[in-house]
Amino acid sequence: MSTLKSYLQLTRPANIVTAIADILAGMAIVRYPFEANPAYWLVLSTVGLYGGGVVLNDVFDAKLDAVERPERPIPSGKVPLQSAAFMGISLLVLGIISAGLFSLLSVEIAIAVALLAVLYNRFAKHSALFGPLTMGLCRGGNLLLGMSAINTSLPEWGWLALVPIAYIGAITLISQDEVHGGKRRSLYIAASLYTSVHAIQFLVAVNQKNGSMALLLIALHALLVGLPLWKALQNPIAPNIGKAVKAGVLSLIVMDAAWCIAFGNWPVALGVLLLLPLSILLARAFAVT
């Protein structure tokens, strides 16, 4: 059981739940008829893509983690490095194949996300600029993967993928100082990106005549990410930064639910919100960052 848990830890299960929320939000944005076809393939695709990406993150960071985080599955010896590498690649392939079983556009987006994940893990992650940008592109691609459920809607709504790019860029920027503590400058930049995200969400919701209802979830999301970030700004030590990163990741579900309401899909918004307690529960058993 401990071995199985170690392998699961590599995939960050709580984070994978947030990736599923992205897919549902993307489908809600393009007004996909969920009752006709739940699009299981796209959900399975994001499980593979996200899981594979974070597993390979630990593979590429094995030497660094041996010094900074020796308790992790690979440096602790609970999961052999080669086994983890095979697992990560297999999950990415699963994500691509699953997308291909849905549509040609979906598989093209999945391939792009997989390549971006490898690029981030191998080269970009240690760059203050390209690390947050590349990780943001991965999450933006994930939202586009959900939108690919109705490919004719991408020209109209594809630009919304810029929002998770900015949001995840902010989280990644914060997380770069998670081990040793950080500087307030990065936290202020993240705060400005968060504010921009909330403003865009609200404006889109107003344009769709759903501003007042979406505002409730947007405000909740701002509270969930704002309080930990404020504490980190007051005292930018590693534990506070870690909490800010964790809050940013898990509360993605609330942001995705806000997208669903912004486009008038209450049932899917409720379904997305129900993923939050699952993600929180998984976060208690498995590390998020």
Side-chain angles (χ1 to χ4, degrees), residues 66-156:
V67 176
E68 295 184 346
R69 298 174 178 179
E71 74 282 356
R72 285 193 165 182
I74 296 175
S76 67
K78 295 177 181 177
V79 177
L81 181 62
Q82 290 184 338
S83 298
F86 177 77
M87 179 183 178
I89 294 171
S90 298
L91 284 170
L92 288 181
V93 171
L94 171 65
I96 292 171
I97 292 175
S98 299
L101 292 172
F102 188 83
S103 75
L104 177 60
L105 177 61
S106 297
V107 75
E108 290 173 346
I109 295 173
I111 291 172
V113 171
L115 291 175
L116 284 167
V118 174
L119 175 64
Y120 172 79
N121 291 325
R122 180 64 181 88
F123 299 107
K125 68 180 301 179
H126 300 295
S127 167
L129 173 62
F130 293 107
L133 176 61
T134 307
M135 180 55 73
L137 287 169
C138 288
R139 186 68 76 153
N142 199 44
L143 187 67
L144 286 176
L145 184 61
M147 292 186 196
S148 72
I150 298 182
N151 55 22
T152 54
S153 297
L154 278 185
E156 182 179 5

Side-chain angles (χ1 to χ4, degrees), residues 215-229:
L215 182 60
L216 296 174
L217 284 182
I218 294 171
L220 174 61
H221 182 250
L223 186 66
L224 290 174
V225 298
L227 289 179
L229 185 60

Side-chain angles (χ1 to χ4, degrees), residues 21 24-25 27-28 32 34 256-257 260-261 265-274:
L24 298 176
M27 296 170 71
Y32 182 80
F34 288 88
D256 284 328
C260 297
I261 290 182
N265 198 323
W266 280 88
V268 175
L270 179 59
V272 170
L273 279 177
L274 290 175

Side-chain angles (χ1 to χ4, degrees), residues 162-183:
L162 294 172
V163 176
I165 290 174
Y167 183 79
I168 294 299
I171 295 175
T172 308
L173 187 64
I174 298 170
S175 70
Q176 290 179 337
D177 297 316
E178 186 179 358
V179 175
H180 302 294
K183 300 177 181 178

Side-chain angles (χ1 to χ4, degrees), residues 14-15 18 245-254 276 279-280 283 288:
N15 305 38
T18 71
V245 173
K246 182 177 179 179
V249 172
L250 296 183
S251 62
L252 262 164
I253 293 173
V254 179
L276 184 58
S279 186
I280 293 174
V288 173

